[in-house]
Amino acid sequence: AEIDSGTDLLVVTGGTDLIPATAVVALLAGKDVASVVGHRPGMDDRDWMHMCAAVRDTTRRGRPHTGEIATLLTTLPAPEVAAAAGVIAGSAARRTPVLIDDLVPAAAALVTQRISFRTSRWLTATQRTTDPGHTAALERLRITPLLDYGMASGLGLGAELAVPHLQAAAQLLRDG
């Protein structure tokens, strides 16, 4: 509906359900769990180990279904990743660029890449966060982020910083 009303760029920002998103990245980027689980602000080593165990268990449930994306997303379960993947796939089908910002949208982008490899043509990452899962997803997607300020999380902040840069670049192109 947004695209039909004239929107020419969509921004998909992060979510809060990090365990299934991290599991999706581990499975679809071919990485081991410990390499994609990041230390979030306020997280100590014990919290990190608990998160690794939760992602490991989630990954084990999903591993048999990596070739069946819909089954994978329901098995994990990963509703935030599925919803973001739907937005990305729909936008790509409509040839509308999408900015992804943070781990959940990056995991969703990996999902859409499995459905159609051409989807990544319509994706740009606003930033690279310090989350190793986010970095692994961007590397697998072969996307160079617009910004790399070393921020711990996106949650839309990368998009807020990147969009004015894109607007300025578009203005320069128009003014030629």
Side-chain angles (χ1 to χ4, degrees), residues 1-130:
E2 286 297 317
I3 295 168
D4 289 340
S5 69
T7 298
D8 57 1
L9 174 71
L10 293 178
V11 178
V12 181
T13 63
T16 57
D17 207 359
L18 301 179
I19 291 170
T22 305
V24 167
V25 171
L27 290 167
L28 299 184
K31 300 289 186 178
D32 65 80
V33 169
S35 73
V36 294
V37 175
H39 273 111
R40 295 270 168 183
M43 183 184 271
D44 62 17
D45 288 344
R46 184 182 197 107
D47 296 333
W48 180 81
M49 288 187 297
H50 286 296
M51 182 140 175
C52 280
V55 173
R56 178 202 61 214
D57 295 345
T58 303
T59 303
R60 283 183 184 159
R61 281 196 312 273
R63 189 169 312 283
H65 307 290
T66 56
E68 307 155 357
I69 293 299
T71 305
L72 173 68
L73 295 175
T74 56
T75 300
L76 293 181
E80 288 182 347
V81 174
V87 170
I88 292 168
S91 299
R94 303 294 292 279
R95 298 174 164 238
T96 302
V98 178
L99 295 177
I100 56 173
D101 186 70
D102 211 354
L103 177 65
V104 171
L110 286 172
V111 167
T112 60
Q113 184 186 51
R114 280 287 177 103
I115 296 168
S116 172
F117 71 93
R118 291 187 176 131
T119 302
S120 58
R121 292 180 182 177
W122 297 98
L123 296 174
T124 300
T126 59
Q127 67 164 329
R128 178 186 323 276
T129 67
T130 57

Side-chain angles (χ1 to χ4, degrees), residues 133-145:
H134 184 237
T135 298
L138 295 181
E139 287 172 357
R140 176 75 173 128
L141 292 163
R142 295 188 177 132
I143 294 176
T144 302

